[in-house]
Amino acid sequence: MMTEHNAIGGKALVARGALLVLLVVSAILAMSPVKVWAQDPAQSEYDAAFDLFIERRFPEAIEAFGVVAAEYPDSELADDAQFHIGVCYTLLEQHDLAVMEYYLVSVNYPQSDLAPEALVKAAEALTAQGFYQDAIAMFNEVVEDYPDAEPAAYAQTSIGWLYGGTGDVERAKAELEKVVANYPDSPSAGIAKASLEELEEEGFPLQLIVFGAAGAAGLAILAFFIVRVVRRRPPAAPVPHRRPPPPRPPEPPEEPVRPRPPGPPETLD
């Protein structure tokens, strides 16, 4: 009888122990945020928009990215969505609309790491329309507001190129010298030095790099976008990500910086 009583008591003790473990596990799960295990709705909307973007269904992607930016303004993906609206318009060659959408990134998300890149893209879209002075002003915003950001050296170089393209050689030299002085370790410094040497030797080789002033500009902007801008949609995961590293393009251009055309072109009016 004692043995049977002990066996029953042992089973009861095991049952109470198992119940205690279940209660502890339940308490731990109750304290854990539900969002760790659930897909972020903003992430789901962004995924859908990016699928449309990859499929080159740009009008639909614009609408879908707009939903993310409008309905989830506090999401870490809102600035990405707004930026990609501008990219879609660029690829549709609707540069006037692209300028506005890119500029909204810097207005609505000034602390975003995409803000200086968006201003650069807005300046390129202005250049594509022939608004060179406006483009210079936009590139200047990058240099003044984001002097330590990676695109700042490129923006400063572009200012020099655009002054060269409008015929102001002395101002072009001054702006390119700022690249060498302020960003000596950047890739743009080497490009600026080479441009300065050509200015000294040939007098005026910089009628140039007007990204999008001709039909080749669309390809140049697209190549630059593929190399530096595209951010791959992350796969569905328990924890949503800010943005993953960019994909490797199948056939990247030999140089991500737009090349100067061969020989000095004619002076722009």
Side-chain angles (χ1 to χ4, degrees):
M1 293 293 295
M2 290 295 295
T3 301
E4 183 178 352
H5 177 75
N6 290 340
I8 294 174
K11 291 179 180 179
L13 183 61
V14 170
R16 283 196 296 271
L19 179 61
L20 179 62
V21 170
L22 288 175
L23 290 174
V24 170
V25 172
S26 299
I28 293 174
L29 292 175
M31 290 186 293
S32 300
V34 175
K35 64 181 182 180
V36 170
W37 306 99
Q39 176 74 21
D40 181 357
Q43 182 76 61
S44 299
E45 295 280 359
Y46 184 85
D47 290 351
F50 205 92
D51 282 338
L52 294 170
F53 177 80
I54 291 298
E55 294 169 6
R56 302 184 65 82
R57 295 161 62 183
F58 298 130
E60 296 167 78
I62 288 168
E63 183 177 354
F65 281 127
V67 170
V68 178
E71 295 189 5
Y72 306 96
D74 298 325
S75 168
E76 291 187 344
L77 292 168
D79 57 336
D80 291 73
Q82 181 63 53
F83 184 88
H84 277 82
I85 295 173
V87 173
C88 288
Y89 279 125
T90 296
L91 296 174
L92 289 170
E93 298 186 3
Q94 298 181 27
H95 300 297
D96 54 337
L97 296 176
V99 171
M100 293 187 292
E101 298 299 337
Y102 285 132
Y103 197 70
L104 282 176
V105 177
S106 68
V107 172
N108 296 336
Y109 315 98
Q111 303 304 316
S112 168
D113 59 344
L114 284 175
E117 186 73 54
L119 288 173
V120 165
K121 300 299 289 181
E124 292 177 346
L126 286 167
T127 304
Q129 299 173 81
F131 301 136
Y132 306 133
Q133 294 300 326
D134 291 333
I136 288 171
M138 192 74 72
F139 279 127
N140 265 318
E141 283 198 41
V142 180
V143 176
E144 293 174 2
D145 296 344
Y146 304 96
D148 299 324
E150 181 182 352
Y154 173 77
Q156 183 64 61
T157 308
S158 299
I159 294 170
W161 283 339
L162 285 169
Y163 275 118
T166 56
D168 193 341
V169 179
E170 293 306 315
R171 187 62 183 272
K173 289 181 181 179
E175 298 297 337
L176 291 170
E177 286 169 354
K178 291 179 183 179
V179 181
V180 179
N182 298 334
Y183 308 98
D185 298 324
S186 72
S188 295
I191 297 169
K193 288 179 182 178
S195 297
L196 285 166
E197 289 174 2
E198 290 185 8
L199 278 173
E200 293 297 332
E201 293 174 2
E202 303 178 23
F204 187 59
L206 293 181
Q207 305 284 73
L208 97 103
I209 315 249
V210 179
F211 325 118
L219 295 176
I221 290 173
L222 179 58
F224 182 75
F225 164 73
I226 292 174
V227 173
R228 294 191 55 196
V229 178
V230 172
R231 286 164 172 80
R232 181 183 309 172
R233 172 182 58 82
V239 182
H241 297 286
R242 172 73 173 90
R243 68 176 69 88
R248 177 179 299 175
E251 294 182 359
E254 294 182 2
E255 293 186 15
V257 178
R258 295 163 189 73
R260 293 190 300 278
E266 297 180 0
T267 304
L268 298 178
D269 294 331

